[in-house]
């Protein structure tokens, strides 16, 4: 990677595709049709062998890199890893970002109108799974003429999709990059998700998920959910360094106003997120996390579950990440080694906890760049 | 970190690996040995490396490298996963010597161990002159060496006996990498062993 010339992809334009073939979800529910919102960066080569799919995590979307015309501050959520000369080098690869089904950034989701009723989907929008997303992403690949991805990459919930791709479509993904992820959530992790959901479900403005028709939004619940989640994405050391016990000006009022900087930060993050995100989407994204467990159908044997994968793997974890700890990544690695499947594993000491996967950490980015450079197109 | 592309013990180790065998190289550095075993012997190779520079270099070579610390043992790797588990010039840097040797023969059917012989005559001469040895196979000064343990062929074989490890083969090399057959504990600078249970 030539770091010297690494730069942003620049101005990008989102696209949309409408699928009319019915989609049978893992739950058994059927969506008669759906839209996916996506973006692409770089150029698909003639052999269509240089495509990389970027899967997003809980709060992500299709706007992965670059910025929109007239909105220079609206930068993609993973811009630091994508662009000319960056680890996901757009001079070599054709990169696709997609908003997942059930999302709230342009792909069909609970806030949209259900054509069958003329009303917002709301509570009627089905619970979607990682397997369902991979199915819809395969349809997007078909639409783009991509027979097989050179690589599928994602962090956290995105890493679960990168892993599931190798199981759902073993012949359609050559490399899987699973970052800060896990083959299944722990009980503790599901517990955090449950508290986040309860915050939303118990908000009086939630109205059983049909808040759109009431002209309300469960902002308070969503805000609490995000505040809780945010704590789990950071490391204790990093919070101590960033905020410590520093107090706000005028603190010491012996009240429950904002006294400490960390409170101010969490409230700001919660408010910002609640203003932009849909609560029904948040519920479904966390549920997709909970349900993901490819070993379940194999008596809990991850080795058996992964045996059908034909991809090569790069697994990356961060030593300060306690929400998706390195131990969980090593479970994937050890299962692949047991099976004799190709895998490399790197563990970065980036201090930013689970959020490290979004950071411009030199070692982590060098590992991803080194891995992708050896892919033969 | 040593990024030597060729080591004298690599020839021996390569000659012991058969096509399609599974090899785990502990402390694999930039993956040079594994790359050779894959290219020349058709082996299926994995490596464990602690240092970032080694991991990144190995990934750039397309090696199945797993970042980890040997001092943590090999937990997570299943019993009998590998035909050979290699520890090339690394045993002398490890604190938990017995545990690592046991772990190697748990996850592998054979352990291949090479280490510098502290009783090599030039090393003995250095100590006789009152200085710690610095040589081809012990290339560090006493103050910057990663080596924690200094031992000889006899010391190692005594430990093998205590641990009931079977020595299947022993080859000893001088500083130029030539095979030594006589007085190995005196004329040998580097020892390479194949161990089993």
């Amino acid at each position: 990677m030539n770091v010297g010339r690494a730069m942003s992809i620049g101005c990008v334009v989102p696209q949309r595709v409408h699928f009319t073939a019915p989609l049978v979800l893992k739950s058994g529910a059927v969506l008669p049709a759906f839209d996916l919102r996506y973006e692409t960066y770089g150029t698909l080569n003639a052999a269509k062998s240089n495509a990389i799919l970027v899967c997003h995590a809980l709060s992500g979307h299709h706007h992965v890199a670059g910025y929109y015309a007239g909105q220079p501050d609206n930068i993609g959520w993973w811009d630091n890893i994508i662009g000319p000369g960056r680890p996901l080098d757009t001079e070599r690869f054709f990169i696709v970002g997609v908003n997942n089904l059930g999302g709230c950034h342009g792909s069909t989701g609970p806030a949209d109108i259900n054509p069958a009723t003329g009303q917002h989907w709301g509570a009627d929008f089905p619970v979607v799974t990682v397997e369902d997303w991979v199915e819809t992403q395969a349809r997007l690949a078909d639409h783009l003429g991509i027979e097989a991805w050179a690589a599928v990459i994602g962090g956290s919930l995105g890493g679960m999709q990168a892993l599931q791709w190798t199981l759902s479509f073993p012949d359609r993904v050559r490399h899987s990059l699973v970052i800060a992820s896990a083959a299944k959530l722990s009980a503790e992790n599901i517990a955090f998700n449950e508290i986040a959901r309860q915050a939303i479900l118990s908000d009086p403005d939630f109205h059983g998920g049909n808040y759109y028709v009431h002209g309300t939004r469960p902002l308070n619940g969503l805000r609490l959910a995000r505040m809780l989640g945010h704590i789990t994405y950071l490391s204790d050391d990093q919070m101590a360094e960033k905020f410590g016990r520093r107090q706000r000006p005028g603190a010491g009022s012996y009240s429950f106003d904002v006294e400490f900087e960390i409170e101010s930060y969490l409230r700001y993050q919660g408010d910002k997120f609640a203003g932009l995100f849909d609560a029904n989407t948040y519920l479904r994204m966390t549920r997709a996390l909970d349900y993901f467990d490819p070993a379940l159908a194999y008596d809990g044997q991850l080795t058996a579950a992964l045996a059908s994968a034909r991809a090569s793997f790069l697994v990356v974890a961060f030593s300060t990440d306690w929400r998706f700890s390195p131990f969980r990544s090593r479970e994937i690695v050890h299962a692949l080694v047991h099976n004799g499947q190709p895998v490399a594993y790197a563990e970065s000491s980036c201090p930013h906890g689970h959020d490290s996967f979004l950071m411009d950490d030199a070692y982590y980015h060098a590992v991803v760049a080194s891995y992708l450079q050896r892919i033969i197109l | 970190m040593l990024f030597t592309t060729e080591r004298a013990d690599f020839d021996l180790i390569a000659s012991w690996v058969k096509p399609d065998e599974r090899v785990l190289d502990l402390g694999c550095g930039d993956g040079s040995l594994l790359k050779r075993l894959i290219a020349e012997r058709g082996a299926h190779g994995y490596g464990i490396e602690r240092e970032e520079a080694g991991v990144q270099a190995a990934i750039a070579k397309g090696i199945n490298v797993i970042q980890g610390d040997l001092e943590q043992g090999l937990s997570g790797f299943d019993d009998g996963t590998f035909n050979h588990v290699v520890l090339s010039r690394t045993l002398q840097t490890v604190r938990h010597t017995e545990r690592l040797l046991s772990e190697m023969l748990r996850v592998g059917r054979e352990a291949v161990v090479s280490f510098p012989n502290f009783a090599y005559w030039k090393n003995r001469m250095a100590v006789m002159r009152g200085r710690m040895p610095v040589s081809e196979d012990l290339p560090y000064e006493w103050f910057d060496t990663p080596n924690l343990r200094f031992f000889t062929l006899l010391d190692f074989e005594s430990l093998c006996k205590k641990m009931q490890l079977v020595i299947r083969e022993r080859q000893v090399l001088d500083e130029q990498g030539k095979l030594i057959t006589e007085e190995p504990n005196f004329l040998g600078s580097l020892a390479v062993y194949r161990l089993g249970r």
Side-chain angles (χ1 to χ4, degrees), chain A residues 190-316:
Chain A
I190 295 171
F192 281 121
N193 284 346
E194 171 59 3
I195 298 172
R197 281 190 295 270
Q198 283 300 324
I200 293 167
L201 296 168
S202 62
D203 187 322
D205 288 334
F206 182 65
H207 297 290
N210 294 314
Y211 43 88
Y212 314 99
V213 291
H214 290 81
T216 64
R217 295 177 64 210
L219 291 176
N220 209 45
L222 191 53
R223 186 168 161 265
L224 284 174
R226 183 60 174 180
M227 287 168 78
L228 172 72
H230 208 85
I231 297 169
T232 70
Y233 306 147
L234 306 176
S235 70
D236 190 26
D237 285 349
Q238 183 208 5
M239 282 176 90
E241 187 180 320
K242 196 167 173 181
F243 307 105
R245 293 183 49 84
R246 270 204 320 284
Q247 297 192 327
R248 300 280 294 165
S253 65
Y254 292 92
S255 74
F256 300 107
D257 291 337
V258 172
E259 292 274 297
F260 294 89
E261 287 289 357
I262 182 62
E263 295 175 303
S264 167
Y265 174 80
L266 283 178
R267 289 189 191 196
Y268 169 77
Q269 290 293 337
D271 287 342
K272 188 174 85 167
F273 184 77
L276 295 171
F277 210 81
D278 184 70
N280 276 321
T281 291
Y282 200 90
L283 293 176
R284 281 156 184 77
M285 296 283 170
T286 59
R287 230 358 161 200
L289 273 164
D290 297 352
Y291 278 136
F292 184 67
D293 183 7
L296 186 65
Y298 297 85
D299 291 331
Q301 297 297 312
L302 187 59
T303 48
L306 301 187
S308 62
R310 297 181 62 181
S312 298
F313 289 82
L314 174 67
V315 179
V316 180

Side-chain angles (χ1 to χ4, degrees), chain B:
Chain B
M1 153 141 331
L2 270 175
F3 274 177
T4 47
T5 50
E6 275 306 315
R7 292 183 185 176
D9 52 333
F10 285 8
D11 286 335
L12 280 171
I13 296 169
S15 74
W16 293 335
V17 173
K18 297 185 198 71
D20 282 331
E21 286 194 323
R22 292 175 64 169
V23 180
L24 178 65
D25 185 8
L26 303 179
C28 69
D30 65 353
S32 294
L33 173 63
L34 284 167
K35 194 164 175 66
R36 184 170 164 185
L37 295 179
I38 294 161
E40 292 178 14
R41 311 297 299 175
H44 299 285
Y46 294 86
I48 297 181
E49 174 56 39
R50 182 181 58 190
E51 302 296 330
E52 291 185 349
V55 173
Q56 193 200 327
I59 286 175
K61 284 195 171 100
I63 296 295
N64 293 319
V65 61
I66 293 151
Q67 191 166 9
D69 186 351
L70 301 180
E71 299 287 8
Q72 311 293 319
L74 300 174
S75 62
F77 292 93
D78 293 328
D79 295 1
T81 304
F82 300 95
N83 299 94
H84 311 270
V85 180
V86 178
L87 190 65
S88 169
R89 303 185 191 228
T90 304
L91 188 65
Q92 74 279 5
T93 69
V94 171
R95 179 175 298 275
H96 300 103
T97 313
E98 289 181 69
R99 188 176 74 182
L100 184 58
L101 288 170
S102 298
E103 280 285 88
M104 288 173 74
L105 282 168
R106 178 182 66 79
V107 305
R109 277 163 244 168
E110 177 173 283
V112 177
V113 179
S114 72
F115 58 86
N117 176 27
F118 199 75
Y120 178 50
W121 68 271
K122 282 190 186 174
N123 298 339
R124 298 189 194 202
M125 291 281 288
V127 174
M128 284 288 282
R129 283 196 306 271
R131 299 292 301 269
M132 286 298 279
V134 177
S135 68
E136 186 74 21
D137 293 308
L138 283 170
Y140 301 96
E141 295 284 353
W142 66 272
F143 51 84
D144 69 359
T145 180
N147 298 334
L148 295 176
R149 309 201 179 277
F150 300 89
F151 51 101
T152 70
L153 272 63
L154 292 179
D155 291 329
F156 182 70
E157 288 172 18
S158 145
L159 176 66
C160 289
K161 192 173 179 188
K162 180 196 158 212
M163 292 180 67
Q164 294 180 305
L165 308 182
V166 177
I167 297 172
R168 292 178 180 167
E169 186 171 345
R170 180 189 72 190
Q171 298 290 350
V172 183
L173 306 169
D174 67 11
E175 269 189 286
Q176 281 70 48
K178 282 195 305 240
L179 283 177
I180 298 290
T181 49
E182 286 176 19
E183 296 292 341
N185 202 39
F186 186 72
L187 297 175
S189 175
L190 186 73
V192 197
Y193 285 81
R194 304 172 72 178
L195 307 173
R197 282 279 186 202

